[in-house]
Amino acid sequence: MNLTVKSALAGAFAISATTAMAQEDVIDVGMILPYVGVYASLGEEIDQGFVLALEEAGMTDRFNIIREDTEASPQVGVAATRKLVLQDEVDVLTGLVSSGVLAAIRDFVDQSQTPLIVSNAGNDEATGADCSPYITRVSFSNAQVNRPMGQWLYDQGVRTVYTLAPDYAAGRQHIGAFVTAFEAAGGEVLGQDYTPFGQTQDFGPYLTTAQAADPDAIFVFYAGGEAINFVKQYDSFGIKDETPLYGSGFLTSQLYLDAEGPAALGVITSLHYLPTLDTPENKAFVEAFQTKANRLPSEYAVQGYDAGRALVEAVKAGATDRESITEALRDVQYTGPRGPLEIDPATNNIVQNVYIYDIVEGEDGKLTQELLDTVEAVRDEPNGCEL
């Protein structure tokens, strides 16, 4: 065989090896989010945040994203997850807005040993009694964002509250965590109401009952369209002038402020992210997201971003397949747009700051979040989790 042929074959083998290596290096990501329906805007924010993290790292060519729509339906979510794992053979799953979908796919994810990075669904059990070594959450737990408000409100002189929330698992978990902390601090809950989830248009009867109890404050959890309706009706009924409103930060999310308008002024809530955080990491993130999406990022955008960032950090540490990604995610820690974060090895839940903030009018006349206080490095107890 002459040297020319040998050289040609050697070059061919080298190209083949390089191609194979490149194929091995590509991480297939199954993105499970609602892209239509009531939660479509949340899915879009999470998706855009995730992609931004890959772009920022200069690693978009390392990831092949395969998207499936859950429609926020547990049944659809299970089918989408099975397709991504069994047919597409993805290396990692991410997404999930609905806690119901997360609960529905939990056993399949665990049994198939497929790493899942949760970028929204907050049900406490996912990193509590129903935890799995393959499920890592970079968003929040329902208890985590509400528990700090119990002690904080008591410290502000609030001694009695009345609570309201939609009647489903997340509503009861959000309120339950606050109530436990508030009572432990010495506060008294004068009454609680749970409104029919997704069906309540008129909050008037509930607001009237709450006001009649004469509490120092009203504490609530509402999100989406219910948050907008509740805040507006709370203002229109005149209760705002007599009884201050507090709640979980989803009540006054960046996504809803324009729709809520002046009714949101003075409402104080707690959450794990504000676009107004004055840090170099957040300023850079806000600028990049605004350039990409032409709007301020919400907590959903930063959750998607941190899901992408966590995966990037895992791959940088050498993870290339399901097993190594699962292991590497446990060691992820960095300071990002929402502040310092890490994954708690006892629960696989995120450890993060919780911010307490007021809604005020900014210099430009638009509503904005004003930081009042920071509760640092909030972590959940294992609550039955055994990893």
Side-chain angles (χ1 to χ4, degrees), residues 160-245:
T160 60
V161 300
Y162 197 100
T163 70
L164 290 164
D167 191 8
Y168 74 120
R172 291 184 176 272
Q173 287 182 357
H174 278 267
I175 294 300
F178 165 76
V179 166
T180 298
F182 185 66
E183 290 180 335
E188 180 184 1
V189 178
L190 300 181
Q192 295 181 269
D193 269 325
Y194 289 95
T195 58
F197 176 50
Q199 303 173 37
T200 306
Q201 299 295 321
D202 180 12
F203 291 99
Y206 302 99
L207 287 167
T208 300
T209 301
Q211 188 177 26
D214 194 27
D216 293 336
I218 294 175
F219 185 92
V220 306
F221 162 73
Y222 285 104
E226 288 188 321
I228 297 169
N229 288 337
F230 184 88
V231 169
K232 285 187 167 184
Q233 290 178 38
Y234 177 83
D235 182 47
S236 67
F237 274 83
I239 301 175
K240 182 177 180 180
D241 298 330
E242 299 179 10
T243 311
L245 178 61

Side-chain angles (χ1 to χ4, degrees), residues 73-94:
S73 160
Q75 184 177 2
V76 174
V78 169
T81 303
R82 292 182 64 86
K83 182 258 184 186
L84 287 166
V85 173
L86 300 177
Q87 180 178 321
D88 298 312
E89 299 182 340
V90 297
D91 299 298
V92 60
L93 297 163
T94 190

Side-chain angles (χ1 to χ4, degrees), residues 52-372:
L52 179 59
L54 307 190
E55 292 173 348
E56 178 185 88
M59 294 175 64
T60 53
D61 59 337
R62 293 289 305 277
F63 300 95
N64 173 41
I65 302 175
I66 305 170
R67 294 173 171 83
E68 290 290 337
D69 190 349
T70 67
E71 302 174 18
S73 160
Q75 184 177 2
V76 174
V78 169
T81 303
R82 292 182 64 86
K83 182 258 184 186
L84 287 166
V85 173
L86 300 177
Q87 180 178 321
D88 298 312
E89 299 182 340
V90 297
D91 299 298
V92 60
L93 297 163
T94 190
L96 298 179
V97 165
S98 165
S99 289
V101 175
L102 175 55
I105 73 170
R106 184 267 174 204
D107 288 349
F108 177 74
V109 167
D110 185 67
Q111 291 162 10
S112 66
Q113 300 182 355
T114 307
L116 165 63
I117 306 173
V118 178
S119 53
N120 188 68
N123 56 320
D124 295 336
E125 293 86 355
T127 48
D130 294 334
C131 69
S132 162
Y134 303 99
I135 297 176
T136 302
R137 180 157 51 197
V138 299
S139 51
F140 60 92
S141 74
N142 293 333
Q144 186 180 43
V145 295
N146 292 278
R147 192 169 57 247
M149 279 291 276
Q151 183 66 55
W152 190 85
L153 268 189
Y154 189 85
D155 291 343
Q156 307 313 303
V158 175
R159 294 294 179 264
T160 60
V161 300
Y162 197 100
T163 70
L164 290 164
D167 191 8
Y168 74 120
R172 291 184 176 272
Q173 287 182 357
H174 278 267
I175 294 300
F178 165 76
V179 166
T180 298
F182 185 66
E183 290 180 335
E188 180 184 1
V189 178
L190 300 181
Q192 295 181 269
D193 269 325
Y194 289 95
T195 58
F197 176 50
Q199 303 173 37
T200 306
Q201 299 295 321
D202 180 12
F203 291 99
Y206 302 99
L207 287 167
T208 300
T209 301
Q211 188 177 26
D214 194 27
D216 293 336
I218 294 175
F219 185 92
V220 306
F221 162 73
Y222 285 104
E226 288 188 321
I228 297 169
N229 288 337
F230 184 88
V231 169
K232 285 187 167 184
Q233 290 178 38
Y234 177 83
D235 182 47
S236 67
F237 274 83
I239 301 175
K240 182 177 180 180
D241 298 330
E242 299 179 10
T243 311
L245 178 61
Y246 299 86
S248 172
F250 300 102
L251 185 69
T252 52
S253 168
Q254 178 63 40
L255 282 180
Y256 317 140
L257 282 184
D258 286 345
E260 291 171 349
L265 286 169
V267 178
I268 295 176
T269 57
S270 62
L271 204 56
H272 53 287
Y273 174 69
L274 307 178
T276 54
L277 290 175
D278 187 14
T279 66
E281 294 83 4
N282 186 54
K283 287 179 178 178
F285 171 71
V286 169
E287 182 179 355
F289 190 86
Q290 279 188 303
T291 299
K292 184 180 181 68
N294 197 32
R295 63 178 182 275
L296 282 172
S298 69
E299 63 275 15
Y300 303 105
V302 84
Q303 290 166 187
Y305 172 86
D306 281 324
R309 176 75 181 272
L311 183 55
V312 164
E313 295 297 326
V315 171
K316 283 182 176 179
T320 57
D321 56 20
R322 293 180 183 179
E323 182 178 356
S324 57
I325 290 173
T326 298
E327 292 296 323
L329 285 172
R330 295 185 182 129
D331 297 324
V332 166
Q333 56 180 310
Y334 57 86
T335 297
R338 61 178 120 175
L341 62 83
E342 62 180 295
I343 301 301
D344 186 346
T347 61
N348 273 6
N349 193 49
I350 190 171
V351 180
Q352 61 187 333
N353 294 344
V354 171
Y355 303 101
I356 297 168
Y357 63 97
D358 191 6
I359 300 302
V360 300
E361 187 175 292
E363 294 179 0
D364 58 0
K366 293 184 177 180
L367 297 184
T368 187
Q369 296 104 337
E370 180 181 59
L371 180 64
L372 299 178

